[in-house]
Amino acid sequence: MAPACNTLLKRRLVPLLVLVAGVFVGAFIVATGPELEPQSTPPLIPVVNTVPAVMETVRLAVSTHGTVVPKSESDLVAEVSGRIVHVSPALVSGGFFAEGDILVEIERIDYEVAHAQAKAQLAAVQSDLVRAQRAYRRYQSLAEAQSGSQAQEDDALNRLLVARASLEEAVARQTRAERDLERTRLVAPYDGRVRSERVDLGQFVNRGESVATLYSTDFAEIRLPVLDQELAYLPLSLARPPDAASPPVEVILKAEFAGAEHTWHAEVVRTEGELDSKTRMVNVIAQVAGPYDPSSGSPLTVGMFVEAEILGREAANVVVVPRTALQANGRMYVVGEDSRLAFRDVDILRVSGETVYVAGGIAEGELICTNNLEAAVEGQLVQLTDA
């Protein structure tokens, strides 16, 4: 019984002795180790990017877009009836023609006959008028000599008046016959291009029937929608047309065409003068002269979608900075020579995309912080990236 008790006692005392020895060893290490001196955490100085304030004279611009349309577009209409005997090779979709070109010709024989008959009738009526004039003068002479009756003179005067009326009618008929004969040839009213054609050789057309749709190529127009608030940057008025004495408002057009970017120069010729109640936009009409002129490079084709930049008013003493420089409450942070922040309330002229135009509140040469600093305080110390 005694050996069993001794074994149980040893099993309980050994772990206890190990624990006590560990406590004494730890206390000895702590008592003899080096003392730690408390140190304060250094302040965190934010690193910022800056841009210098440079006073510039900038030209404000408005970006928009639109689709190219012809200045003039019309239907080519037959003004007389008849069979088509000639169609110009240019009268095909996309064909070019010049002002005065004969595009379609209608058979003329019937109208030539009508014209000849009108001329002959006019000659006969003119002869009748000469005879009536002579007869009236003769009866006037007899009346003065008291050799003729008043009834004969009145009858001669009536024949003279009828002959004059017949002459007017004959002249009108000849004029109409000449006009109908001219109208058998459908002539191009301007330099242009064919949008579509609806006529073939030998086809019979009636008076008033449309045979083709044409548009002019002297000018191309682009309707450019502009927000009403952006009109403040453009020298335009909805109340009156552009002043001919003032310089035109320039427009730069850009478009991707045939795998390359092309540029054209246009001018604003008018505004539509109506404000869209839903979009709050006004349509500005820009015009390009000679859109198909080979010397101008790539043609400005009707139907093309273009990006436009309307060049507006000039503004002096303006600082142009990135939009990231604009802080909360419309402020900006300026970094002084002592690398500390100073808050500035600035006069924002315009915010366009990622660019801010500042008209006041910043001095020339000051360093403007372009970082968006949260919880910044005035006078806070900062570090410049180039430092």
Side-chain angles (χ1 to χ4, degrees), residues 40 68 80-81 89-90 159-160 235 268 275 309 315 321 327:
S40 60
V68 180
V80 294
S81 301
R159 288 195 297 272
L160 176 61
V268 173
L275 183 64
E309 185 178 22
V321 296
Q327 308 292 338

Side-chain angles (χ1 to χ4, degrees), residues 73-94:
E73 184 172 358
S74 55
D75 285 336
L76 187 65
V77 177
E79 297 181 83
V80 294
S81 301
R83 185 172 60 88
I84 303 297
V85 296
H86 171 74
V87 177
S88 171
L91 195 66
V92 291
S93 180

Side-chain angles (χ1 to χ4, degrees), residues 46-48 327 333 341 369 371-376 380 382:
V47 179
V48 297
Q327 308 292 338
Y333 299 160
L341 291 180
C369 174
N371 295 81
N372 188 3
L373 299 178
E374 297 182 359
Q380 179 179 351
V382 295

